[in-house]
Amino acid sequence: MSTLHVLSHSPFSDTRLGSCLRLLGSDDALLLSGDAVYAVLPQGSALTPLQEKTVFILEEDLLARNLDCPQWATCVDYPAFVELSIRYDKVNSWL
Amino acid sequence: MKFAIALYSAAHAPSSRRALRFAEAALASGHEIVRLFFYQDGVHSASSNIVTPQDEQDIAQQWATFVSQHQLDGVVCIAAALRRGVLNEDEAARYQRPGVNLKAPWELSGLGQLHDAIQTADRLICFGGP
């Protein structure tokens, strides 16, 4: 059973990203949205081994913060977000 | 594919906008939304008393338009709404409150509606937080 984990909190304001990564299964993926996209900053990825995971980023939120999509991630728009929510068996939002 | 969408944040939170954009994209891709359930602070996203500055997007209005246009089942948790002062005509009269700020297309109902939607849908997607 695969799960898409959706984060929207900044990795610099709490420990959600770390907690999520600890229980991320091999079939699971991460979708960064809102302030969670700050995890692409070098300071952020130095804290967390994101490069080894399947990571998607909501493009709109990345652009709104003038950040670039790193090589280890895939940028998605809303139709692709919908598609991801179907590709994975469950969607777990870290509210 | 059948979606149930739960929203936990007010209209001014970016997550409310993301939920709306997701819902729009789901319908545009030919999927079905069996129910929208507005819970906790999400009840504010259904309030008709919200005044948005002119240079900002009126997400509460966009939600109401979206739900009306597509004739969706927009359910607002009654317990969460009452404690936050989001009242329809019946509840305002019942508790003798001066204002009504929940109108069509929204409906007040219980958490059972969320449970029911989860049973019916293939996917539950929750939006909340920042």
Side-chain angles (χ1 to χ4, degrees):
Chain A
M1 170 98 50
S2 62
T3 303
L4 177 71
H5 292 266
V6 181
L7 283 117
S8 64
H9 288 74
S10 166
F12 301 107
S13 62
D14 59 42
T15 58
R16 277 181 179 80
L17 179 61
S19 305
C20 175
L21 287 172
R22 262 199 297 283
L23 54 83
L24 204 68
S26 53
D27 295 337
D28 297 351
L30 208 57
L31 172 65
L32 304 175
S33 65
D35 284 345
V37 305
Y38 284 120
V40 306
L41 290 174
Q43 302 93 307
S45 48
L47 297 169
T48 51
L50 277 179
Q51 286 92 330
E52 299 149 27
K53 312 288 185 189
T54 308
V55 181
F56 300 96
I57 305 177
L58 207 54
E59 189 173 32
E60 197 179 68
D61 293 335
L62 202 61
L63 293 175
R65 289 160 183 80
N66 193 30
L67 296 170
D68 294 318
C69 192
Q71 278 188 337
W72 42 266
T74 309
C75 267
V76 294
D77 55 9
Y78 280 94
F81 181 2
V82 171
E83 196 274 313
L84 283 178
S85 71
I86 295 166
R87 191 191 308 171
Y88 291 86
D89 299 315
K90 301 251 179 227
V91 180
N92 181 33
S93 301
W94 291 66
L95 297 178
Chain B
M1 201 50 116
K2 292 178 180 176
F3 284 99
I5 297 176
L7 177 64
Y8 292 73
S9 57
H12 57 262
S15 51
S16 181
R17 182 179 174 281
R18 280 199 298 276
L20 177 59
R21 295 289 171 262
F22 181 93
E24 288 169 345
L27 290 191
S29 304
H31 302 295
E32 183 191 343
I33 296 173
V34 295
R35 185 165 294 145
L36 293 156
F37 192 85
F38 285 21
Y39 191 40
Q40 295 180 357
D41 282 344
V43 302
H44 292 302
S45 283
S47 168
S48 53
N49 266 5
I50 291 172
V51 179
T52 310
Q54 282 182 2
D55 60 344
E56 290 180 23
Q57 294 195 50
D58 191 345
I59 298 297
Q61 182 56 53
Q62 287 182 26
W63 268 119
T65 306
F66 175 74
V67 171
S68 302
Q69 235 168 31
H70 299 282
Q71 297 182 310
L72 299 175
D73 191 12
V75 176
V76 177
C77 174
I78 189 165
L82 290 180
R83 70 168 72 238
R84 287 168 179 81
V86 176
L87 309 176
N88 63 8
E89 219 159 290
D90 288 350
E91 299 307 313
R94 189 195 319 274
Y95 295 103
Q96 288 143 35
R97 291 298 190 270
V100 174
N101 57 349
L102 193 82
K103 301 193 166 177
W106 303 108
E107 254 181 74
L108 284 176
S109 194
L111 206 49
Q113 296 293 311
L114 176 59
H115 182 266
D116 175 65
I118 297 168
Q119 299 307 313
T120 311
D122 300 304
R123 291 288 185 281
L124 165 72
I125 318 288
C126 299
F127 290 88

